[in-house]
Each structure stands twice: as structure tokens, then as C-alpha cells.
Amino acid sequence: MSIVLPERYQTKLIENKNHIAIITDLIDRIGDIYLENNLFFFEEYTDHGWRHINSVLKASDELIPGESFENLNSIDILLLVSSIMLHDIGMHVQLTTFIGLIKGEYDDTRCINFDNSNWSELWVLYCNEAKRFSSKKRIELFGYDIEKIDFPLNFENKGPSETEKKLIGEFIRRYHPRLAHEIALKGIKTNKGYIQFFNESVDPQIKDLAGLIARSHGM
């Protein structure tokens, strides 16, 4: 039960000791989250754990023809592998992460070239939209046609209800590609502080590019 790199990727990465070290460290730091696979907001979703990551790594390798692979270098593989491991990390956020988002703790990572709104603004817009969800949308989201959603949500002291979890989950699902980008830069907030997935010595441009590629699957 672990993340396994395709053989071609391993061969390319070992050409640069620094790059293989970054990936090895990333696997160590992120592996426990994918192994635990605790989808607080997405209990009914399909597997987004280490098996999923391995299947995406395998599929990505199979999609690259040999003649194209010869033109790739270790930094290309570093960015590809990093982005694959980050692309669904937003689906693994816990309540602490979400509260941090809407309280502005990730505002310093907002990419102004892509994002006009911060997370608290996005949340207000989403809640206003949720008040007008159609009957079809409510059944799709909650499993039944809930008569009314009470706003503002009050979950910080008692924890979210199942309805609130699904409502928050839909918000996170929509924006999890953006969240992957920001987590690559800042880490993921937990009850014990931030988990950084890249060592502090890693070039910020590598973090940004890996996050951007992870983000691209939702663009």
C-alpha cells in the first residue's frame, strides 16, 4: 500500500539527485493522507486514495510515446509526478482546512492571473446560489428535496450536519483544482498546523508550476 512511480519515471528522475529527493520527500509527506483516504466531505465518493494516484501515474506513463519521452528531462517528470500527486489533494481537506479558507488564511496564495475572488467571497457567492438551488439540484446533492437550507451555516462549534457537509463538499469539489494549486504553495491546514508537501529548500517556481499543472485538470 504505497505510491509507486512508473519505471520510466524513476529512470528519468535519478538523472538529477535533487529532483529524485524532492519526489521521494513529497511521497513521504503526502503518502499518509492518501493511505488514510479520509474524505470528510466526500464519504460517498469513489476512491481518491493511493490506488487512484497509482492508476493516474500509470495512465500518464502509458500516454507518452517512447519518442516523446526521450525528449523529456528530470524536471519535466518532477513536475508531472508532483502535479498528479497534488491534483486531488483538495478532496482530502478536513473541516479545519475549510474554515481556514473562508477566514482568509489562504488569501496570500491567490493567483491574481486566474482568480478574481478570494475564498470568503467565493463562499458568499456560492451560498447565495445555494439558496436558489432547483429541486433537481437539491435531490442530486442531498439525496432528497430538502425544503430549506438555513443560512448562514453554524457549524464551527458543533460540527457540520450531514446536509451542511454535502453543501460544503460541493463547494470544495467545484474549486478543488484551485485549492490543489494553493496547497502546493502553502501546504494543507490541519488541527496541528500546516502540512507542507515540499521542503522549504524547494524552488518556489517548482511549487507554483506543479500546483498550476495540478490545477489545469479543472480548467
Side-chain angles (χ1 to χ4, degrees):
M1 294 188 295
S2 61
I3 295 172
V4 180
L5 300 183
E7 185 176 343
R8 288 199 302 174
Y9 291 0
Q10 296 181 46
T11 301
K12 192 70 71 170
L13 282 167
I14 60 176
E15 294 175 2
N16 186 300
K17 292 181 179 180
N18 184 46
H19 294 164
I20 190 65
I22 291 172
I23 289 298
T24 301
D25 190 42
L26 176 59
I27 290 174
D28 286 342
R29 291 168 182 246
I30 210 169
D32 287 343
I33 290 177
Y34 284 121
L35 181 61
E36 185 178 358
N37 200 22
N38 179 17
L39 302 181
F40 180 79
F41 291 109
F42 305 98
E43 294 174 348
E44 300 173 0
Y45 270 53
T46 55
D47 179 36
H48 280 71
W50 63 273
R51 291 182 183 87
H52 172 65
I53 298 300
N54 282 340
S55 68
V56 177
L57 285 166
K58 183 175 182 291
S60 69
D61 180 40
E62 292 172 349
L63 284 168
I64 305 173
E67 60 271 24
S68 298
F69 194 84
E70 290 177 3
N71 294 317
L72 301 179
N73 56 35
S74 61
I75 188 65
D76 297 321
I77 301 302
L78 165 64
L79 292 173
L80 175 59
V81 170
S82 298
S83 67
I84 288 171
M85 287 196 282
L86 288 163
H87 80 282
D88 269 343
I89 195 63
M91 304 291 281
H92 291 260
V93 301
Q94 302 298 301
L95 182 61
T96 302
T97 323
F98 170 71
I99 292 172
L101 282 177
I102 62 175
K103 286 192 171 182
E105 294 191 30
Y106 279 81
D107 286 358
D108 58 339
T109 61
R110 180 168 69 93
C111 181
I112 60 174
N113 294 317
F114 293 110
D115 306 311
N116 295 322
S117 302
N118 61 35
W119 288 102
S120 61
E121 292 167 340
L122 283 179
W123 176 242
V124 170
L125 290 171
Y126 172 75
C127 288
N128 288 335
E129 178 191 347
K131 295 174 185 177
R132 304 187 300 273
F133 278 165
S134 67
S135 176
K136 179 181 179 182
K137 178 64 177 178
R138 291 194 297 268
I139 293 172
E140 176 186 302
L141 184 58
F142 303 115
Y144 62 97
D145 191 1
I146 187 171
E147 291 185 5
K148 181 183 178 183
I149 303 171
D150 293 321
F151 291 96
L153 302 187
N154 181 24
F155 52 79
E156 289 192 42
N157 294 324
K158 59 180 177 57
S161 65
E162 288 304 308
T163 297
E164 290 169 337
K165 283 174 70 173
K166 290 179 179 178
L167 192 67
I168 295 168
E170 172 62 13
F171 175 77
I172 293 171
R173 184 198 66 77
R174 288 188 184 188
Y175 296 107
H176 80 276
R178 167 180 172 173
L179 185 51
H181 190 183
E182 297 186 11
I183 287 174
L185 296 169
K186 191 179 183 78
I188 190 168
K189 184 177 181 180
T190 71
N191 291 323
K192 298 179 181 179
Y194 284 87
I195 297 175
Q196 302 289 341
F197 294 124
F198 291 103
N199 189 287
E200 292 181 359
S201 63
V202 175
D203 187 334
Q205 281 194 318
I206 289 179
K207 299 178 186 179
D208 195 18
L209 285 169
L212 180 58
I213 298 168
R215 179 191 186 120
S216 70
H217 88 294
M219 297 174 69

